[in-house]
Amino acid sequence: MYGMVNEGLRTFVEKEHGSDMWREVCDMAGVEATKFERMTSYHDAVTYALVGAVCQKTGKSADEVLQPFGSYWVDFAGQSNFGTFLRLAGNTFVERIKGLDDMHDSILLSMPHLKPPSFEIAEIGADTYELSYYSEREGLSPMVIGLLYGLAAETKEKIKVEQTVQKAAVSDPDVFEVTLLR
Amino acid sequence: MGNHPRTQPLSDDALVLDVTTVAQLMPLHLVLDSAGKIISMGPTLRTVMGDGIGGKAFFDVFRVERPRHVQQIAHVRSRAGKKLVLAGQGVDGERVGFRAMPVLLSDDSLRVIIDLSFGENFAEAIARYALTSANFKPNDLSIDLLYSFEIQRNLLKDSETMADALKAAKAEAEDIAMRDPVTGLGNRRALQMQLDKALSGERGQGPVVLMMVDLDKFKEVNDDFGHAAGDIVLRHTATCLSELAGHEGFAARMGGDEFALFLRMDLAMIGAVSQQLLSAIASKISIDGIKYATSASLGYLSFEPGEDMSADQLLSQADIALYHAKGTDTRIAAVTPELLQRFGQQKALTLDVQRALKQEEFVPHFHPQIDMESGDVVGLEALARWNHPQKGVVSPAGFLDVAAKSNLLLLLDQQVRLRALSQFARLSRLLPDGATLSLNITAAKLRTDDFVSDLQREVKAAGLVPGQIKLELLETIFFDRNDCPFIHQCTALRQAGFGLALDDFGTGRASISTLIDAPISMLKIDRSFVTGIDQSDRLRQITGAIIRMAYHIRLAVLAEGVENAAELQVLSDLGCQYVQGYHFAKPMDATALALWLEQGGHGHAPSTPVVPD
């Protein structure tokens, strides 16, 4: 995982619970560094350990931590150059979801070790979409839910997200039903 | 728009392109027939994937990676004008990725052109397949981006190299900050961090033993052999500790000649392991070819991970045990509740002494010194007492040791001395001419450079002259007659007009030889030669000999501790000039003394105060 994700988690925890809490989280996770280089690749275990420690310290479940972090992530990443990439995809929620893979492809040019997730969205009804989320990583679907809400907030749209299929094997996607609320 | 030539829409005829043009426009293209078979391809694609793909079904050659549902040629058609992500096998047998866009032809042949690009893999493809500019259409920006990305990658690599160097420098700086440069062991800060870590561990991991080790007489090694030799001893000790610590434990140099070690161990083994460590430290080492053996003391305690203690508390307690160990035969001591309680009391007493110094609670009491012949009070010995607000008058046994250990003795001495001088000045009108004030002087005070001038100033400030002051020196101070600076200091005092008396004579380490060079004017015979002198011929003989010897070398003699008339009579018979003791009076404060003197100096109860403080 690139350091930017860990940095996002740091600023999220510091914003919600203060910098002392973040130091305690790092201690508990056995992570020496309290800050991360955004473009440096860190082992995924670091991020999982940090999320686990946040759960323990706050007494919240992984879902309760990851979903708001997903929403926060859109804002956090949006403040960097990645925000520009995201806006290039379009002005609506659906356009931006469709542009996520292109954005990741573009980022891969400079960050070849990135193992980005993939999102496919298909219209299955009026204002209803099926979103398939592919990732080599486990347990991040709650973050995706938060991320979808965050993206919708960016384009000032309202959505309802429901996970319809849990990933069963590495190659299978998590599937979400996303309804645009008019 | 008026001046611009009018643009005409292109006719269908104008869009009919020959094969060469198509190859130039789309060097990576594929053409699929209605069944999805590859019927032609661009030159660059041929270079990358080989001629062999011609005639094969599209899905036998390519896998559509995104969107994943595109699995039939009809799906490919439905993605016309949209992006596909494909992967195939290059001529090198390795996966090669493409971005693709299907383009439908308008001739109803159901043929599909698929325009490919290397997408994010283009730099890799150029390297793998030795592609050149000619493999791309002339207006393709990819080639330009290649240069840009290569430069960017180099910059990124440089940044990573620099970041690695900075991280390494930071790690090195942190390591240095945590390490003792002489021995290579961890330092106090590192030990505290390790202890904190051990304390924060889960309960049930077994006890941890913390040992504090202090080298005995290390200063002498530095003084006798030099600091380089001292470093050899420190490194030798560090090696002994490191070997015992192994990989599981942690050894540190706390500073100076003090070390610490902690490790998990069976508590039943502590005694043996401690002894083993001290023996290892005491093994002989070679310093400049000379075999040298040092020794050490060791204090220890054990604790359980998860205990409600701080690293500082652990170190402080182990230090108490170490201090105690220095006074034992084995040089090893454990922290016990009794030891901590005793230390706590000592600490409380130290704080109380510090407070008392600020409150000026230390005062002189005066013990009269009597001329045997006239019966007059010819001198007063000032003795320190503590006017404690709760405990009343406390004798030196209750505070002197603590004051000395906490380096407060000089301050306490000064407080008592200054008050004694001023009170003596007030009392002197009740004393015969020539009466002196005796002050007990510590060796440390006597050795200070400014002692003589300070004392002269203090005496003068009190309205006295040096001839009224007699300094009582413990005989042990004099044991080394070769101590020239000290003898010089005494001579300077004598020349300034102060009297010098040798206190507790007969109990010191160099009784007779001291008298050869010491510039003293009086011997004070210790009470152990006086108590019971009326009942012991042997005491009488020895004390008589001391008095006669003093007489022959022109020293005045005062016998201390006279408690009854019989002892007084014997001393009188032996020719002792001066006496002091409870037979005449106990030490009294200035007010009581003034009353006692006014009433004739016979120990009657005092009336009204005469010399208010």
Side-chain angles (χ1 to χ4, degrees):
Chain A
M1 203 89 78
Y2 270 78
M4 187 162 172
V5 178
N6 299 334
E7 269 298 279
L9 189 61
R10 175 180 73 78
T11 56
F12 172 66
V13 171
E14 287 185 344
K15 177 172 163 263
E16 296 290 318
H17 305 285
S19 50
D20 285 347
M21 169 68 98
W22 175 248
R23 273 194 293 276
E24 288 170 23
V25 162
C26 291
D27 279 348
M28 180 176 269
V31 176
E32 276 190 26
T34 53
K35 288 191 175 180
F36 301 89
E37 285 150 42
R38 293 187 310 165
M39 294 299 121
T40 297
S41 182
Y42 292 84
H43 201 286
D44 282 1
V46 173
T47 311
Y48 283 107
L50 288 170
V51 171
V54 174
C55 293
Q56 280 199 49
K57 279 281 170 194
T58 58
K60 292 178 178 174
S61 66
D63 287 13
E64 288 169 328
V65 170
L66 285 173
Q67 188 165 326
F69 175 57
S71 291
Y72 174 80
W73 173 256
V74 175
D75 190 40
F76 174 77
Q79 288 171 18
S80 70
N81 291 336
F82 298 110
T84 310
F85 299 157
L86 200 59
R87 282 187 288 278
L88 278 173
N91 295 319
T92 68
F93 169 78
V94 171
E95 284 171 346
R96 289 195 177 181
I97 291 291
K98 284 179 176 173
L100 283 176
D101 280 7
D102 287 343
M103 181 185 79
H104 287 141
D105 284 349
S106 303
I107 294 169
L108 273 170
L109 281 166
S110 297
M111 298 165 70
H113 303 297
L114 191 73
K115 297 203 181 306
S118 171
F119 299 88
E120 285 185 7
I121 190 162
E123 192 167 6
I124 55 172
D127 290 338
T128 307
Y129 298 83
E130 184 180 84
L131 183 131
S132 300
Y133 158 65
Y134 299 84
S135 174
E136 293 181 9
R137 300 183 176 93
E138 300 291 331
L140 297 181
S141 57
M143 183 177 163
V144 172
I145 294 173
L147 190 134
L148 294 174
Y149 280 111
L151 281 171
E154 280 278 300
T155 55
K156 300 190 176 9
E157 290 170 274
K158 286 192 175 171
I159 59 167
K160 189 181 92 178
V161 181
E162 194 178 336
Q163 183 159 10
T164 53
V165 178
Q166 293 270 358
K167 183 163 80 167
V170 173
S171 58
D172 291 337
D174 286 289
V175 181
F176 304 87
E177 188 175 290
V178 182
T179 308
L180 295 177
L181 304 174
R182 301 289 182 185
Chain B
M1 306 291 282
N3 296 330
H4 288 256
R6 186 183 171 86
T7 52
Q8 296 289 331
L10 290 170
S11 70
D12 285 346
D13 290 345
L15 285 175
V16 175
L17 306 172
D18 63 42
V19 173
T20 308
T21 306
V22 171
Q24 283 172 338
L25 278 176
M26 296 183 284
L28 277 163
H29 81 275
L30 285 169
V31 181
L32 307 183
D33 67 10
S34 58
K37 197 175 284 180
I38 299 169
I39 53 174
S40 72
M41 71 187 95
T44 304
L45 189 63
R46 185 174 288 113
T47 303
V48 171
M49 299 193 74
D51 285 326
I53 65 171
K56 289 187 177 174
F58 173 78
F59 282 104
D60 289 343
V61 177
F62 292 98
R63 182 161 52 85
V64 179
E65 293 191 336
R66 291 205 313 260
R68 293 164 181 81
H69 70 269
V70 176
Q71 301 296 335
Q72 297 169 18
I73 203 67
H75 295 155
V76 175
R77 287 176 184 282
S78 71
R79 295 287 297 182
K82 293 178 183 170
K83 180 179 166 183
L84 292 173
V85 176
L86 308 182
Q89 191 181 53
V91 288
D92 56 0
E94 299 293 320
R95 175 193 177 278
V96 57
F98 299 98
R99 289 187 195 181
M101 183 183 77
V103 178
L104 300 181
L105 294 181
S106 57
D107 58 1
D108 297 330
S109 65
L110 296 180
R111 286 183 299 172
V112 181
I113 297 179
I114 301 180
D115 183 25
L116 301 176
S117 79
F118 291 116
E120 70 273 15
N121 310 301
F122 83 100
E124 183 195 340
I126 287 170
R128 271 169 61 185
Y129 304 108
L131 303 178
T132 66
S133 301
N135 291 111
F136 298 87
K137 57 184 175 182
N139 63 345
D140 189 341
L141 185 67
S142 303
I143 292 294
D144 304 288
L145 286 178
L146 178 69
Y147 293 109
S148 172
F149 282 124
E150 281 308 305
I151 289 167
Q152 195 188 72
R153 282 203 179 115
N154 281 333
L155 288 172
L156 196 61
K157 201 171 175 184
D158 287 349
S159 298
E160 282 171 355
T161 305
M162 196 176 290
D164 287 345
L166 284 171
K167 276 184 203 163
K170 181 171 173 255
E172 191 182 347
E174 282 173 354
D175 186 58
I176 288 169
M178 294 286 181
R179 199 158 288 284
D180 168 48
V182 177
T183 62
L185 293 182
N187 58 16
R188 174 182 284 272
R189 189 169 158 224
L191 180 77
Q192 280 181 316
M193 286 179 69
Q194 292 290 332
L195 281 175
D196 282 336
K197 205 169 163 185
L199 279 166
S200 64
E202 296 286 322
R203 279 188 181 273
Q205 294 175 7
V208 180
V209 173
L210 171 65
M211 296 176 175
M212 295 280 278
V213 175
D214 188 89
L215 298 178
D216 301 329
K217 298 178 182 170
F218 177 68
K219 186 175 177 299
E220 288 179 13
V221 180
N222 278 332
D223 291 347
D224 295 348
F225 298 97
H227 287 278
D231 288 352
I232 292 173
V233 173
L234 292 174
R235 283 194 282 271
H236 161 71
T237 308
T239 304
C240 297
L241 266 76
S242 292
E243 283 174 0
L244 182 56
H247 295 299
E248 300 292 316
F250 188 82
R253 181 178 170 218
M254 306 293 283
D257 58 353
E258 196 169 283
F259 294 82
L261 164 75
F262 81 87
L263 68 167
R264 291 185 198 286
M265 65 185 296
D266 181 354
L267 293 183
M269 299 293 291
I270 296 180
V273 171
S274 300
Q275 190 55 58
Q276 185 190 332
L277 177 60
L278 292 191
S279 299
I281 292 170
S283 61
K284 284 189 177 168
I285 51 174
S286 178
I287 299 176
D288 293 337
I290 300 167
K291 292 287 182 191
Y292 180 84
T294 187
S295 64
S297 304
L298 187 154
Y300 68 84
L301 56 78
S302 67
F303 66 92
E304 290 278 348
E307 251 183 66
D308 187 21
M309 295 276 282
S310 70
D312 278 341
Q313 283 173 313
L314 290 175
L315 289 169
S316 168
Q317 290 192 1
D319 218 21
I320 292 167
L322 174 62
Y323 182 77
H324 181 64
K326 284 179 173 294
T328 66
D329 292 337
T330 59
R331 295 280 182 181
I332 296 170
V335 170
T336 62
E338 297 74 29
L339 188 64
L340 294 178
Q341 187 186 16
R342 209 179 325 147
F343 179 79
Q345 288 166 347
Q346 289 263 315
K347 194 173 173 187
L349 185 57
T350 303
L351 291 173
D352 206 14
V353 168
Q354 285 172 340
R355 181 201 56 75
L357 276 167
K358 284 183 189 160
Q359 300 296 320
E360 299 192 345
E361 290 174 5
F362 292 100
V363 296
H365 278 205
F366 298 95
H367 205 194
Q369 296 172 332
I370 313 295
D371 183 333
M372 288 279 256
E373 196 175 330
S374 65
D376 288 342
V377 175
V378 292
L380 299 172
E381 181 182 3
L383 299 165
R385 294 290 185 270
W386 182 1
N387 270 342
H388 197 283
Q390 282 89 41
K391 298 175 188 171
V393 177
V394 179
S395 69
F399 60 82
L400 217 52
D401 190 41
V402 162
K405 282 175 182 163
S406 48
N407 293 321
L408 298 170
L409 205 51
L410 287 178
L411 206 58
L412 193 152
D413 262 352
Q414 187 188 34
Q415 192 170 105
V416 173
R417 185 172 66 249
L418 289 175
R419 191 168 282 191
L421 288 168
S422 67
Q423 290 181 343
F424 179 74
R426 291 190 182 96
L427 287 164
S428 58
R429 68 181 181 84
L430 299 172
L431 296 166
D433 289 345
T436 57
L437 172 68
S438 289
L439 299 169
N440 289 288
I441 298 300
T442 62
K445 181 66 182 170
L446 196 56
R447 285 180 191 279
T448 55
D449 290 340
D450 299 330
F451 176 65
V452 177
S453 56
D454 285 351
L455 187 63
Q456 283 176 311
R457 195 185 64 250
E458 290 169 3
V459 167
K460 190 176 178 186
L464 300 170
V465 294
Q468 291 176 279
I469 308 300
K470 190 173 283 164
L471 301 172
E472 295 194 4
L473 315 171
L474 281 178
E475 193 196 20
T476 47
I477 294 173
F478 277 108
F479 74 93
D480 188 358
R481 58 180 295 204
N482 295 319
D483 191 349
C484 295
F486 183 74
I487 299 290
H488 176 76
Q489 187 84 318
C490 291
T491 305
L493 282 167
R494 288 283 284 161
Q495 286 171 348
F498 294 101
L500 291 180
L502 198 53
D503 205 3
D504 298 337
F505 183 76
T507 59
R509 290 163 63 183
S511 306
I512 307 296
S513 65
T514 296
L515 302 176
I516 299 171
D517 295 306
I520 55 170
S521 57
M522 176 183 271
L523 280 187
K524 289 186 77 176
I525 299 173
D526 188 71
R527 62 175 60 246
S528 59
F529 294 92
V530 175
T531 304
I533 195 170
D534 56 313
Q535 293 167 10
S536 165
D537 283 343
R538 198 171 178 81
L539 267 183
R540 195 179 300 127
Q541 296 288 342
I542 294 168
T543 307
I546 293 172
I547 292 168
R548 283 193 297 279
M549 177 195 68
Y551 174 77
H552 285 302
I553 57 175
R554 300 178 190 284
L555 292 179
V557 176
L558 183 147
E560 294 179 288
V562 180
E563 295 194 353
N564 56 52
E567 289 171 354
L568 182 66
Q569 185 58 54
V570 173
L571 289 166
S572 175
D573 294 345
L574 291 173
C576 184
Q577 292 166 280
Y578 305 105
V579 285
Q580 180 180 343
Y582 282 14
H583 176 61
F584 303 98
K586 290 183 177 178
M588 295 167 271
D589 65 19
T591 306
L593 178 68
L595 289 172
W596 183 79
L597 288 170
E598 277 198 331
Q599 290 169 358
H602 298 296
H604 298 297
S607 56
T608 50
V610 175
V611 186
D613 190 16

